[in-house]
Amino acid sequence: MKKLLFFLILGFTTLTTARAQNTDTPCGKVFHVVEQMPQFPGGQAAMMKFIADSLRYPPVVCTGGVEGRVVVQFVVDCEGNILNPLVVWSVDPLLDREAIRLVKSMPKWIPGRQNGKPVCVIYNVPIRFKLNEEKPCKILRFLRSLKRVFTNK
C-alpha cells in the first residue's frame, strides 16, 4: 500500500512538473530552484495582503460551505511575468477558477536569478479558501434571512 501511494505521488509530481516545463518562455530553460527565488513585489507579507484583498469567494460554493487550499503552480519568467498558471492541488472547480484568476491578476514579480542573470522559475502559491462565520458571504446571509421569514423564527 505504501509503495502504491509513493508511486501515485511520484507520478502526479512528474506529470505536473512536465506540464510546467514544456512551456515556451522568453528565457529558455525553466528552473525549479535557483540562487535567488522570484519574489512578489514587497515580499511575502505583501503577497498575503494582495491575496486577502483580491480574493472573491464564489457565492455558489459559499452557500455549500466548501473550504480548502488550492495550490497554483506557474512560471515567473525573466521579466517577472506570470506564465501558464496551473492548479496542482484542487478543492472545487469554482475555487480553482478563482485561484487562477487571482494569480493572473498579480503584478509583475521580481524575477529569480541564477549566476546573477534573471531566469524562468517554477513557483507554487497556496491559496486558502476559508469561510468567515462572523462575516458570511452575501448569499448565505440572504438564504438565512429567507429561512427565518418562512419558518417564523
Side-chain angles (χ1 to χ4, degrees):
M1 183 66 180
K2 288 181 182 180
K3 286 183 182 181
L4 176 64
L5 184 60
F6 172 76
F7 286 115
L8 284 174
I9 291 171
L10 181 66
F12 178 75
T13 305
T14 305
L15 180 65
T16 58
T17 302
R19 278 204 273 181
Q21 283 181 330
N22 292 333
T23 60
D24 294 328
T25 61
C27 314
K29 185 176 179 185
V30 178
F31 292 86
H32 289 273
V33 179
V34 290
E35 294 168 352
Q36 184 180 349
M37 291 298 285
Q39 270 193 334
F40 186 85
Q44 198 75 356
M47 182 173 66
M48 300 303 266
K49 182 176 178 353
F50 176 85
I51 291 172
D53 293 345
S54 303
L55 187 71
R56 289 187 252 152
Y57 217 108
V60 175
V61 180
C62 181
T63 57
V66 178
E67 296 179 324
R69 180 176 293 133
V70 175
V71 178
V72 180
Q73 182 179 75
F74 52 91
V75 175
V76 179
D77 73 5
C78 55
E79 297 171 356
N81 299 310
I82 293 175
L83 306 175
N84 307 321
L86 170 74
V87 173
V88 293
W89 186 264
S90 176
V91 174
D92 181 273
L94 292 173
L95 296 183
D96 297 349
R97 191 176 317 148
E98 173 57 16
I100 293 288
R101 183 204 64 81
L102 183 68
V103 167
K104 285 182 175 180
S105 71
M106 287 181 170
K108 276 191 170 187
W109 283 47
I110 300 165
R113 293 187 167 275
Q114 184 71 15
N115 297 324
K117 295 179 182 176
V119 293
C120 295
V121 182
I122 290 179
Y123 202 88
N124 292 324
V125 171
I127 299 171
R128 186 166 184 230
F129 290 87
K130 175 94 171 111
L131 291 170
N132 187 350
E133 284 300 318
E134 297 169 4
K135 191 177 173 185
C137 64
K138 291 177 184 176
I139 289 186
L140 194 55
R141 285 196 306 262
F142 175 72
L143 290 174
R144 286 178 183 164
S145 67
L146 280 179
K147 183 178 176 183
R148 279 188 232 118
V149 168
F150 289 110
T151 58
N152 294 325
K153 288 185 180 180

